[in-house]
Amino acid sequence: MKGLLIKDLQLIKSQKQFLGAVAVISAIFIFYYGNIIFIAGYMTAMLSMVSVSTISYDQHENGMGFLMTLPPSRSDYVKEKYLLMLLVTGVSLAVSLLFTGIIVLMNKFTQGEDQVSGAIMASIVCAVLVQSLMIPLNLKYESEKSRVAVMVLMGAVYGIVFVGVSLFKRFHIDPDALLQKADPVSLLIILAVILSAMVVISFLISLRIIKKKEF
């Protein structure tokens, strides 16, 4: 599994132009706008896409058939992808915190602490959600079909959120007030449990897909 992880890190490293473009755009928002909220979401989303794209590279020109002949098992392959997901999410969090420190030192910090912490937490949730959806879909389908499936799923998620917001408004419920009254530690625990359950379910689905797939 270590060899698979090194392979994926080298694949990510080879995408220098893309990573450079992400760095330039982030730098612009640091020096001119001081907007850590955008940076947190943008960096996390882009790095998440880079992580999942390694599956597409593996599938190119029957690469998966070759990989399955190597000593690492199919379950090792899936485990490595989720390990990569955790590493990428951790790196995106570290980069967001680093950029926050740079903005503070530059005295361009315009957001409140609650906004920044909320943005970073939201970016982590988005990263885990996107990768948990895209890993099994990329393993199941080709890259083009998986993108369509992700768009459909994300549309469904948006629809659920829209309906939820509408219900809150209809029954005059203020979600911001509820969150402010709630215990932050309890919220973090609940969020951690939900994300962990999401990753475990995604992992089990991916494992089932890879074991049944023929290359």
Side-chain angles (χ1 to χ4, degrees):
M1 191 167 68
K2 180 180 178 181
L4 292 174
L5 182 60
I6 293 174
K7 170 191 68 66
D8 283 346
L9 292 176
Q10 290 297 324
L11 285 174
I12 293 175
K13 184 180 177 181
S14 68
Q15 302 182 49
K16 294 179 181 179
Q17 292 182 341
F18 179 80
L19 295 175
V22 172
V24 169
I25 294 173
S26 299
I28 291 173
F29 274 81
I30 288 176
F31 291 106
Y32 290 95
Y33 301 103
N35 194 329
I36 189 60
I37 294 177
F38 171 83
I39 293 170
Y42 179 75
M43 290 289 294
T44 304
M46 293 299 100
L47 289 175
S48 297
M49 297 301 294
V50 170
S51 168
V52 176
S53 70
T54 58
I55 299 177
S56 299
Y57 280 103
D58 292 341
Q59 294 172 339
H60 185 62
E61 295 185 351
N62 298 319
M64 287 294 290
F66 171 73
L67 288 174
M68 294 301 106
T69 64
L70 299 177
S73 63
R74 297 191 178 204
S75 60
D76 288 335
Y77 180 84
V78 175
K79 291 176 184 177
E80 185 272 331
K81 292 302 177 185
Y82 284 86
L83 175 60
L84 182 66
M85 178 188 78
L86 295 176
L87 288 175
V88 168
T89 304
V91 169
S92 64
L93 174 60
V95 172
S96 297
L97 293 175
L98 174 63
F99 283 167
T100 302
I102 293 173
I103 293 173
V104 170
L105 292 175
M106 293 173 60
N107 295 321
K108 289 190 175 184
F109 193 79
T110 58
Q111 292 86 30
E113 293 183 3
D114 293 338
Q115 287 180 301
V116 174
S117 59
I120 292 176
M121 291 303 299
S123 66
I124 294 173
V125 172
C126 290
V128 174
L129 176 62
V130 168
Q131 294 178 96
S132 295
L133 288 174
M134 290 193 69
I135 290 176
L137 287 173
N138 273 268
L139 290 174
K140 179 70 175 178
Y141 305 106
E142 297 298 328
S143 58
E144 293 298 327
K145 292 182 180 180
S146 65
R147 290 192 188 100
V148 174
V150 168
M151 290 175 64
V152 172
L153 284 174
M154 295 304 289
V157 171
Y158 176 80
I160 293 171
V161 172
F162 179 79
V163 171
V165 172
S166 299
L167 290 175
F168 278 134
K169 290 182 178 179
R170 182 174 181 179
F171 292 101
H172 306 289
I173 299 175
D174 186 0
D176 291 334
L178 292 176
L179 290 174
Q180 289 177 357
K181 292 180 181 178
D183 180 23
V185 176
S186 300
L187 287 176
L188 287 175
I189 293 174
I190 293 172
L191 182 61
V193 170
I194 293 174
L195 292 180
S196 299
M198 191 184 304
V199 172
V200 170
I201 292 172
S202 175
F203 173 78
L204 293 175
I205 293 173
S206 297
L207 196 59
R208 184 174 181 180
I209 290 171
I210 199 71
K211 286 184 176 180
K212 288 187 174 183
K213 194 165 185 177
E214 295 182 1
F215 300 103

